Every structure is written in structure tokens, then in C-alpha cells.
């Protein structure tokens, strides 16, 4: 158990819908990262927040957005869902934002878009 | 951009030693990580290298050569539970702390 929690574990929804994935980092960690893992793409970095501010951005679609709240939990919002958005979404956290920062991953949310 | 290559699959025998290679191209190298991932589960951290040389941690060791853009993960005394995907990930300078992952090497340990 990494100490990173994610909810929900599983999510089934229809195309065109919107969902919110939630992540709570390890106690004391200020950085949160979101990754998408699909069968054909591997783990892809989406976005990083540090202490409430966006720190780095990957190939995150415009239909996706994220934020980190004052209590440091983070939410990833996925809208206008398409079949291709079906994937495992992982959240990770680290103490700071750079340097020797090991990222610890949560258990993931499995999203299925039908 | 970054490019990371690792073999797709490997098979080894219980009790043996296996070496999983990773080659990378990146502008501004700032560290290489190895993670283990069992199917459907979270990646778990195994090792971190930022300087050349070998880092040893129990049955697992990781090596880095920055000039060659090369790393390997060495697993000794293989156990059945080591059957998993092994992910090589590179961090570049100027990108916060984001990691670029390889597609992973699926290791199967057989009796």
C-alpha cells in the first residue's frame, strides 16, 4: 500500500458523458501526478500539480482537466467521453516537485466507456 | 522528445538471474526509474539512478550509463511472484518531475 488513495476503483459510463476521478496523496506529499494507461499506449503522463498549482503538462486532451485543492487532494475531470478513453487512470504523489522525487502510485481507477 | 526502448517479453526460470535492458534518448537527462507492475495493479517503485554505476537493493540491482543512454535491471534468485511487467521511466530536466515510461517488459518466471 503506497498511501495514495483513488476513488472510484471502477467506473462504467457511456460515450458523451463526464466523470470525475479523485485522488488523495500520501500524507506530506505536495505533488500529484495523473497518468493514463491503455493497452496500446503504456503509461502516459497527463499533468502534474504542486501545492495547488499546475507544474507540468503532458499530452492531456482539451476534454480533460484537473485541479488540486487546498487540502491537496486532486480531481481529474474527463468530459465528452469517447470509447478510446477507456483506460486505467493512475494518480501518483511525491514530496516535492523536482529533484530526487520518487513518485508513489495509487491503485488506479479503471474507466470503461461503452 | 524522449524515446525509451525495452524488450516486450522475457522468460526466465525460478532461482535464476535475469537482466532487463532499457535504452533511451532524451534531451536533458535527469534520472531513470524502474517500476514493477502486476497486471491491473499500481506500479511500485524499485530503483532510481541518476549517476553512472550500479545501485543494489536486495535481490534487485539497477545500472546506468548516461553516455550510452542505457540502463538495466538485474533480478537475482527469481521467484514466481516476480512475474510482472517492469517499466523503465526517464525524467528530463525542465519538465517538472514528469516521467516518460517505456512500454514495459513482461517477465514470466517459470518452474
Amino acid at each position: 500500500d503506497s498511501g495514495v488513495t483513488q476513488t472510484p476503483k471502477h467506473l462504467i459510463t457511456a460515450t458523451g458523458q463526464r466523470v470525475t476521478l479523485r485522488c488523495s496523496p500520501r500524507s506530506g506529499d505536495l505533488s500529484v501526478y495523473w497518468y493514463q494507461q491503455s493497452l496500446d499506449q503504456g503509461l502516459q503522463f497527463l499533468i502534474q500539480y504542486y501545492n495547488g498549482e499546475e507544474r507540468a503538462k503532458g499530452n492531456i486532451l482539451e476534454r480533460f482537466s484537473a485541479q488540486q485543492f487546498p487540502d491537496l487532494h486532486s480531481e481529474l475531470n474527463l468530459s465528452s467521453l469517447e470509447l478510446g478513453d477507456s483506460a486505467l487512470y493512475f494518480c501518483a504523489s511525491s514530496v516535492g516537485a523536482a529533484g530526487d522525487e520518487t513518485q508513489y502510485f495509487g491503485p488506479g481507477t479503471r474507466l470503461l466507456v461503452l | 522528445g524522449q524515446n525509451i526502448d525495452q524488450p516486450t517479453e522475457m522468460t526466465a526460470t525460478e532461482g535464476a538471474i535475469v537482466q532487463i535492458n532499457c535504452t533511451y534518448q532524451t534531451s536533458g537527462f535527469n534520472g531513470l526509474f524502474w517500476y514493477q507492475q502486476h497486471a491491473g495493479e499500481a506500479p511500485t517503485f524499485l530503483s532510481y539512478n541518476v549517476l553512472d554505476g550500479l545501485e543494489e537493493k536486495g535481490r534487485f540491482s539497477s545500472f546506468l550509463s548516461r553516455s550510452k543512454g542505457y540502463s538495466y535491471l538485474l533480478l537475482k534468485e527469481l521467484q514466481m511472484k516476480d512475474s510482472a511487467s517492469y517499466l523503465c521511466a526517464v525524467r528530463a530536466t525542465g519538465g517538472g518531475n514528469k516521467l516518460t515510461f517505456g512500454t514495459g517488459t513482461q517477465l514470466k518466471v517459470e518452474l
Side-chain angles (χ1 to χ4, degrees), chain A:
Chain A
D1 185 353
S2 67
V4 180
T5 60
Q6 289 188 248
T7 56
K9 276 195 145 174
H10 302 275
L11 201 46
I12 302 175
T13 188
T15 54
Q17 295 298 305
R18 173 190 166 95
V19 297
T20 297
L21 313 183
R22 184 188 167 104
C23 167
S24 292
R26 295 185 318 159
S27 177
D29 284 2
L30 298 179
S31 265
V32 167
Y33 312 78
W34 287 98
Y35 291 86
Q36 179 192 56
Q37 187 174 41
S38 51
L39 281 173
D40 57 344
Q41 290 276 333
L43 259 173
Q44 301 284 321
F45 170 76
L46 295 177
I47 198 161
Q48 174 194 358
Y49 278 84
Y50 172 73
N51 205 19
E53 301 288 328
E54 184 183 301
R55 184 62 183 244
K57 215 168 184 176
N59 294 329
I60 187 168
L61 299 171
E62 283 191 19
R63 301 185 285 110
F64 295 2
S65 65
Q67 54 184 323
Q68 186 180 27
F69 294 85
D71 68 352
L72 301 176
H73 91 271
S74 177
E75 292 180 358
L76 179 68
N77 300 297
L78 315 176
S79 61
S80 303
L81 284 167
E82 301 174 0
L83 295 177
D85 297 328
S86 296
L88 259 172
Y89 290 84
F90 286 105
C91 167
S93 74
S94 70
V95 173
D100 295 351
E101 297 290 344
T102 297
Q103 295 178 31
Y104 295 91
F105 283 76
T109 294
R110 186 176 292 278
L111 173 66
L112 181 60
V113 182
L114 299 174

